[in-house]
Amino acid sequence: MPRDILVVEDLHKYFGGIRAVDGVSLRIPERGIVGLIGPNGSGKSTLFNTIAGRYKPDRGRVIFDGVDITGWKPHRIYKLGLVRTFQNPRLWLSLTVFENVLTSGRDQRGESPLRAPLHRLWAGQEMEYARKALDWVRFVQLGRVAASLSSDISGGQMKLTELARALMSRAKMLLLDEPAAGVNPTLAHQIFQNIARLREEYGLTFFIIEHRLEILFDYVDYVYVMHRGRVIAEGKPEEVAENPVVIDVYLGG
Amino acid sequence: MPVGGVVSFILAYLSVAAVYSLLSISMNIEYGWAGIPNFGKAAFIAAGGAAAAIVAAQLGPPLLLGVKGVVPGGLGFFAKYNALLNAYAAHPAATWGVLVLSCIIGGVIAMILGVLFTFPAVRLREDYLAIALLMAAQLVWIVLRVDKQIMGGTFSMVLPSPDFTPVARLLHVPDTVVKVLFLWGLVAVFLYYSEKLMNSPFGRKLRAVRDDEIAAEALGKNVPVSRLQAMMIGSFLAGVAGAIYVLVHLASVNPDYFLPDITFMILAMVLVGGVGNNWGAIAGAMLLALMDRVGYIIGSRLATEYGMLWGGYLYYIVYGLAIIIAIAFRPQGLVPEKPVKTPAWRVYIEETGETPRFLKPIWARLRSLRARRKGKKEG
Amino acid sequence: MALQFWLYSFAWGAALALMASGLALYYSVSKVANFAHGEYVSVGVIAYLILVALLHGFKNITGFNIVEPARFTVDKLPLLLPIFIIGGLVSAATFAAVFWPLMKRGSSPLQLMVVSIGLMFVLRFILYFIASAFDWLTLPTPESSVIATIGGVQVTAGILGSLLLALIATIFVAWFTRGTMIGVSMRAVADNPGLAEASGINVFLVQLVAWFIGGGLAAVGGALMFILTGPPGERPIVELGWMDLLPIFAATVLGGLGSFYGTLVASFILGLAFNEVSAILLNYGLDPSLALAVPFGVTLAVLLFMPEGLAGLNWGRLYRRLKEVFRGAGGWGS
């Protein structure tokens, strides 16, 4: 039994009177691929935002890799190895695709304003990172547009750039918010095959929000179902698919 | 206008354009690269001005001339200070000492103020930051006016500007020519430094923070610290430029040189020239300084000869329209920003075997453009 | 004497409230930190002088000659209506001609803020042009007639005007945002512009009206502030708005950027604090212009400790907390 890399205990996040996340508890095992599903507005993205530090939770705890990260700032959470992507791609639009991926490399020596003017001090690391970044760009099959400005690529390509950017950061665990939105089914399957491959090769853990259940269920080991800010069901994909509560939520809206 | 008039106009113009270039390079680091609306630039320029005044009257005499300094504002200050100025005139090297000390002290004070004024609002939306910085600058201006011990209150205080005569004699040219060359040399230094600084992972980080701070934070960039770093560098350069402005260009100092007007003039130069492009910042400074000079000549003639007092305020319409037109019609400026050039692109070219268009030298780009046009015509 | 001072400070706060709540009103719907707001204030000053000149048929009104006719009396109160309209038209015109086209094109808040600086310069030049044509750049404080003396406290027309207008503006805005179609739409746009647009509200018109009222209030506040305090220090009268811009921003930030009522309360607090500190400084032989440290300090404190401003305070929770504290104290007592 692998240990749990992410533990969320009784997490609450309110916006005024709206209980966006209302007492969520879950456990993600190391090297797991876990899905998070639920109708629109059920609080999935808010849960991600709260885990990844963009929102401070009103109550509850988040433990990642044995460290209590409740209320931490996102950049510190990133340092521990928990990295997320966004539902609507958030790329740095004045940078190229290649640079978007490169920029997320961790501990870049040239990011210090004192070292930055002295190129000698960081050029070696920069070139090493550049090779790695180019590998990740090719991994998500964006080699052709690597030198294009990220504002000039399609929505699907933006999602893939986000994935490459998260991979570049050498994370232990990725929170992916709809990684296959806006891409055709063949490519969507490819993305999930790659996710499975990444788990095998690098031992990464994935927690994935996805609306296209028919694709998601082929790849995940475990699924959590959210509705109105709460987890209403969980289990193996085939169990969840037959759970009457889940069917009711999805058909009833 | 006689030839002598034209020459002195050009020299005066080149001198002020150089100072504005220094300032707009520093503004470009904040506004262009990091997206910080530094509406308090005047305060950081003032730090350089204050440092120059303090060094000239209080620190410089014991350190450079070996005599006692005088504190401005007291009785008989001007008589004692004039004696000091005469002593400086007899020691050209001491005037250079004043410049160096003022630049260092001014830069450091400006850097400290930059952190202090930015810190409260660095985590908040940009409008809060702009308001806080503008207020800080107003307060600094009032303090400089009220506290007569810094630069003598609202009187203009003459400063010992660095002595160019020895070099000028050597080259057989007038002092002002050497002064202009010196100022443009400094512009080259500023430009070299900021190009080196920005074509680095640091520059990329600032752009990431500017483009999308939420993504930058999620991918490990400390957004408030990045902003503070940009403010520290920009303010330091502004402090240095402020000392140069009052010592070399004006040779006098007065709190009213540091009204917020100057902040917005510099901002207009960055906007017109190129947001995020150092060369553009210089181009903008040169263009607007020219319009400013011409407007000044026309305006003062209107005011003095025809009694039209509004002539003295022509610069408002020059800079105001420049800002509006730039934002409305060419938000990227005359010279748009370029991708960050680091050794990473060398790796890219090695591995893919192709050079991205923006990295090719300008003549190669022109040739490919022409070839494409020709191809279109034939096809 | 103390009472007189309080009354003056209160009137000062009322004039500030008019100017600052104007900014809050259109900020709530357009989210533009408009640095040209101070110029709408100065428009009010110049409009007041021009209207006075108009009443005198533009005869003998250049330079200091305007000071005597510009004496503020109760029968000049109706002049504030055309001032409101002029300020409103200037503000609405700048919105329609500059801000709206840029907003529609998707300019960032940063760019809108910067363009407002350009606008500020252009408007200021126009004001300088007009003021220097009439030779009004430097004027002394116009007199304000004393209406009543209650227990040694003189109530001048300027003080009455400020307090009255602040009251009228509050009632007007309360009625407008609740009782009229366009006012209710305004609140909808402030809450969620996307949703408001989707539900068929004419977002442009709503914002235009907000800018009209906002600019109008600024101009009225400017005219009254000129009558109360005269020109801003040694600066030309057209810089009155610019000099008051920082207290205006301080009031709007303290009020919770974009909250009308929060800004009203904040203005009165700032008015008292600012004038009190000026008086203290003067007492100690210091320069009263250092009182600018008050709005600056307030703004920094708000930004550091409660960026939502007064409007963001949870008054209900505060009240309950206080009640608990007091009940707890009572419990110990018994």
Side-chain angles (χ1 to χ4, degrees), chain C residues 57-107:
Chain C
F58 286 106
K59 282 193 205 83
N60 209 17
I61 45 82
T62 53
F64 278 24
N65 295 328
I66 193 74
V67 178
E68 180 46 36
R71 205 174 108 92
F72 193 67
T73 49
V74 176
D75 58 327
K76 286 213 179 77
L77 275 176
L79 281 185
L80 294 173
L81 185 64
I83 292 174
F84 176 83
I85 293 170
I86 293 169
L89 287 176
V90 171
S91 159
T94 54
F95 171 72
V98 179
F99 292 111
W100 175 251
L102 288 174
M103 285 162 81
K104 238 176 38 186
R105 219 181 52 192
S107 291

Side-chain angles (χ1 to χ4, degrees), chain C residues 2-333:
Chain C
L3 220 58
Q4 180 79 57
F5 178 77
W6 279 76
L7 186 65
Y8 171 80
S9 303
F10 216 62
W12 195 96
L16 179 65
L18 285 166
M19 305 191 269
S21 59
L23 177 65
L25 200 65
Y26 62 76
Y27 186 92
S28 70
V29 286
S30 301
K31 305 281 183 285
V32 177
N34 181 15
F35 285 75
H37 191 75
E39 307 314 305
Y40 308 155
V41 171
S42 303
V43 163
V45 180
I46 299 297
Y48 172 67
L49 294 176
I50 288 181
L51 287 169
V52 168
L54 186 68
L55 288 181
H56 285 73
F58 286 106
K59 282 193 205 83
N60 209 17
I61 45 82
T62 53
F64 278 24
N65 295 328
I66 193 74
V67 178
E68 180 46 36
R71 205 174 108 92
F72 193 67
T73 49
V74 176
D75 58 327
K76 286 213 179 77
L77 275 176
L79 281 185
L80 294 173
L81 185 64
I83 292 174
F84 176 83
I85 293 170
I86 293 169
L89 287 176
V90 171
S91 159
T94 54
F95 171 72
V98 179
F99 292 111
W100 175 251
L102 288 174
M103 285 162 81
K104 238 176 38 186
R105 219 181 52 192
S107 291
S108 65
L110 186 65
Q111 287 176 324
L112 292 174
M113 193 160 68
V114 169
V115 92
S116 81
I117 297 280
L119 207 55
M120 171 181 95
F121 272 11
V122 170
L123 286 176
R124 196 180 300 166
F125 175 77
I126 295 170
L127 289 170
Y128 263 117
F129 185 83
I130 297 170
S132 77
F134 289 105
D135 200 10
W136 286 338
L137 284 182
T138 45
L139 290 179
T141 310
E143 266 184 61
S144 191
S145 68
V146 178
I147 310 165
T149 310
I150 307 159
V153 177
Q154 290 186 337
V155 181
T156 63
I159 289 176
L160 179 78
S162 300
L163 294 174
L164 196 65
L165 260 295
L167 186 69
I168 292 174
T170 314
I171 295 169
F172 171 73
V173 170
W175 164 77
F176 187 76
T177 51
R178 269 154 232 277
T180 65
M181 199 51 209
I182 197 134
V184 174
S185 318
M186 204 183 279
R187 284 199 291 160
V189 174
D191 278 351
N192 189 337
L195 192 65
E197 186 155 27
S199 53
I201 292 175
N202 184 338
V203 178
F204 171 71
L205 191 68
V206 165
Q207 297 192 52
L208 192 72
V209 170
W211 281 71
F212 178 81
I213 300 175
L217 290 177
V220 169
L224 289 166
M225 192 60 110
F226 176 61
I227 291 157
L228 281 174
T229 67
E234 306 147 24
R235 315 284 309 168
I237 55 164
V238 294
E239 293 201 5
L240 182 124
W242 163 250
M243 287 295 168
D244 283 339
L245 186 63
L246 296 184
I248 290 172
F249 272 130
T252 39
V253 168
L254 177 60
L257 222 48
S259 151
F260 181 81
Y261 297 105
T263 306
L264 276 180
V265 177
S267 302
F268 282 106
I269 296 174
L270 269 177
L272 290 178
F274 185 76
N275 286 293
E276 186 67 38
V277 171
S278 301
I280 292 171
L281 286 169
L282 211 55
N283 246 349
Y284 282 91
L286 291 165
D287 196 300
S289 61
L290 284 174
L292 187 76
V294 172
F296 180 61
V298 166
T299 305
L300 286 194
V302 171
L303 294 182
L304 275 173
F305 302 114
M306 47 176 217
E308 308 269 281
L310 291 180
L313 282 183
N314 192 334
W315 293 103
R317 192 192 283 177
L318 197 71
Y319 173 71
R320 281 196 301 275
R321 180 77 54 79
L322 284 174
K323 221 162 71 176
E324 272 166 33
V325 169
F326 282 118
R327 198 180 293 149
W332 285 327

Side-chain angles (χ1 to χ4, degrees), chain B residues 262-281:
Chain B
I262 192 161
T263 305
F264 300 131
M265 289 175 179
I266 306 299
L267 185 62
M269 289 164 192
V270 171
L271 286 170
V272 168
V275 179
N277 186 313
N278 295 320
W279 291 94

Side-chain angles (χ1 to χ4, degrees), chain B residues 56 172 192 256 295:
Chain B
H172 298 289
Y192 178 79
D256 286 2

Side-chain angles (χ1 to χ4, degrees), chain A residues 30-209:
Chain A
E30 201 163 15
R31 298 173 73 104
I33 298 181
V34 178
L36 177 63
I37 64 170
N40 280 329
S42 57
K44 304 184 302 290
S45 282
T46 310
L47 177 65
F48 264 32
N49 280 325
T50 316
I51 292 172
R54 188 164 158 211
Y55 301 143
K56 263 203 169 115
D58 289 303
R59 185 139 54 92
R61 291 208 304 162
V62 182
I63 293 150
F64 176 71
D65 208 9
V67 182
D68 189 340
I69 58 165
T70 318
W72 280 27
K73 294 259 175 242
H75 72 267
R76 286 184 66 201
I77 294 175
Y78 158 99
K79 293 227 157 69
L80 279 186
L82 177 61
V83 178
R84 53 94 51 101
T85 67
F86 295 90
Q87 189 179 3
N88 302 309
R90 285 182 165 273
L91 296 181
W92 299 306
L93 296 177
S94 74
L95 300 177
T96 59
V97 171
F98 172 51
E99 285 171 307
N100 261 279
V101 177
L102 179 59
T103 303
S104 73
R106 62 175 54 224
D107 298 326
Q108 297 191 41
R109 276 186 219 124
E111 274 187 4
S112 141
L114 293 176
R115 280 194 219 114
L118 305 164
H119 288 206
R120 220 164 4 92
L121 293 180
W122 47 263
Q125 188 201 35
E126 172 85 354
M127 287 162 88
E128 181 198 324
Y129 274 29
R131 270 183 211 108
K132 229 180 263 168
L134 213 51
D135 285 347
W136 285 124
V137 170
R138 287 180 180 139
F139 180 83
V140 297
Q141 298 177 358
L142 289 178
R144 225 165 30 83
V145 293
S148 310
L149 277 184
S150 61
S151 52
D152 295 343
I153 58 177
S154 73
Q157 289 172 325
M158 285 189 176
K159 293 240 83 154
L160 291 171
T161 310
E162 280 223 330
L163 182 60
R165 198 166 68 170
L167 290 167
M168 178 70 197
S169 71
R170 281 200 316 204
K172 293 177 194 151
M173 174 173 177
L174 300 185
L175 302 173
L176 303 181
D177 200 339
E178 298 191 32
V183 303
N184 63 53
T186 327
L187 187 54
H189 272 287
Q190 253 175 35
I191 290 172
F192 275 96
Q193 278 157 16
N194 280 331
I195 287 171
R197 215 178 101 197
L198 286 164
R199 163 170 62 179
E200 297 314 318
E201 287 178 22
Y202 298 92
L204 295 179
T205 310
F206 289 90
F207 191 27
I208 305 169
I209 295 179

